[in-house]
Amino acid sequence: GAVVSQHPSRVICKSGTSVKIECRSLDFQATTMFWYRQFPKQSLMLMATSNEGSKATYEQGVEKDKFLINHASLTLSTLTVTSAHPEDSSFYICSARDLRGSEQYFGPGTRLTVT
Amino acid sequence: GQNIDQPTEMTATEGAIVQINCTYQTSGFNGLFWYQQHAGEAPTFLSYNVLDGLEEKGRFSSFLSRSKGYSYLLLKELQMKDSASYLCAVLDSNYQLIWGAGTKLIIKP
């Protein structure tokens, strides 16, 4: 089956610093990748949709200058949380959709804690 | 607006059967997914329905009625490891996934 990896799985950073999270599709090419955020006991919230080689589309209320997304290749997308604050602490999950189908394959998630 | 409804929480007994319902109102329909999510982990794919009817996969089955905007996930022979949240999601006309809030399933011995 299709595999999506995320790195790092956990990260703790200080307030004001930036953190980069990588999402890779390991055995398929992903034209579209999605970034989600999930707070405890809540459902997934779509932050943005990124298509390879073009700018990401952000959902309403998500600051594009704070959450920088780069989808430079068909197998890699990165999310950079800039000037992180404690309220950015959350579980960040990426998913990827391959060229053929409509199913999304999820990465294992990255737990970000901002102190 | 687009809306996915599913119960917030359900409780069932080990070895029993449980049905988790999902109703949806979306702009277009290109399929419905069920995902399982254990606490602190990412969702894992369970099933995909795009045509009406029942899809069976081991202990799990998923049903879809497009005319009623309704689906259910049926879990048989419940095991303690089935305790998780179950997420219903619909692929709309733009091929975007619209997510339900999830149903937390608690399995008791």
Side-chain angles (χ1 to χ4, degrees), chain A residues 36 38 43 97 102 104 106-107, chain B residues 35 37 42 45 91 95 99-100:
Chain A
Y36 293 88
Q38 187 176 35
S43 188
R97 189 166 68 203
S102 54
Q104 289 186 25
F106 284 88
Chain B
Y35 286 89
Q37 186 178 26
F45 170 80
L91 204 62
Y95 287 91
W99 292 88

Side-chain angles (χ1 to χ4, degrees), chain A residues 6-66:
Chain A
Q6 260 183 263
H7 178 79
S9 57
R10 290 178 180 271
V11 58
I12 300 173
C13 71
K14 292 186 177 179
S15 186
T17 61
S18 295
V19 173
K20 180 186 283 188
I21 303 170
E22 291 188 352
C23 177
R24 293 180 185 272
S25 55
L26 298 185
D27 51 1
F28 67 100
Q29 292 184 324
T31 51
T32 305
M33 286 187 170
F34 304 87
W35 286 96
Y36 293 88
R37 180 167 52 182
Q38 187 176 35
F39 293 106
K41 299 184 180 180
Q42 295 186 23
S43 188
L44 298 170
M45 290 175 49
L46 180 65
M47 298 175 67
T49 302
S50 74
N51 294 295
E52 185 265 338
S54 63
K55 290 183 179 180
T57 302
Y58 289 82
E59 295 299 301
Q60 194 172 8
V62 178
E63 300 174 56
K64 62 180 181 181
D65 293 330
K66 180 172 180 63

Side-chain angles (χ1 to χ4, degrees), chain B residues 6-25:
Chain B
Q6 51 182 130
T8 304
E9 187 173 298
M10 298 182 71
T11 303
T13 305
E14 189 177 15
I17 299 174
V18 71
Q19 178 175 311
I20 303 174
N21 296 324
C22 171
T23 57
Y24 63 89
Q25 291 176 310

Side-chain angles (χ1 to χ4, degrees), chain A residues 51-102:
Chain A
N51 294 295
E52 185 265 338
S54 63
K55 290 183 179 180
T57 302
Y58 289 82
E59 295 299 301
Q60 194 172 8
V62 178
E63 300 174 56
K64 62 180 181 181
D65 293 330
K66 180 172 180 63
F67 299 99
L68 303 178
I69 292 173
N70 187 318
H71 192 163
S73 76
L74 284 172
T75 59
L76 173 64
S77 176
T78 61
L79 167 68
T80 301
V81 183
T82 62
S83 187
H85 292 287
E87 57 264 32
D88 298 324
S89 298
S90 187
F91 193 44
Y92 291 86
I93 307 171
C94 75
S95 69
R97 189 166 68 203
D98 66 18
L99 297 174
R100 298 172 291 109
S102 54

Side-chain angles (χ1 to χ4, degrees), chain B residues 38-80:
Chain B
H38 285 99
E41 298 180 12
T44 55
F45 170 80
L46 289 178
S47 67
Y48 171 65
N49 294 67
V50 68
L51 299 176
D52 290 350
L54 186 69
E55 295 276 345
E56 296 186 74
K57 191 184 295 185
R59 294 189 298 114
F60 293 5
S61 303
S62 56
F63 171 83
L64 174 68
S65 169
R66 289 172 296 171
S67 62
K68 295 181 179 179
Y70 167 70
S71 172
Y72 68 71
L73 179 69
L74 190 72
L75 293 78
K76 303 176 185 177
E77 300 170 17
L78 286 170
Q79 301 174 10
M80 297 304 293

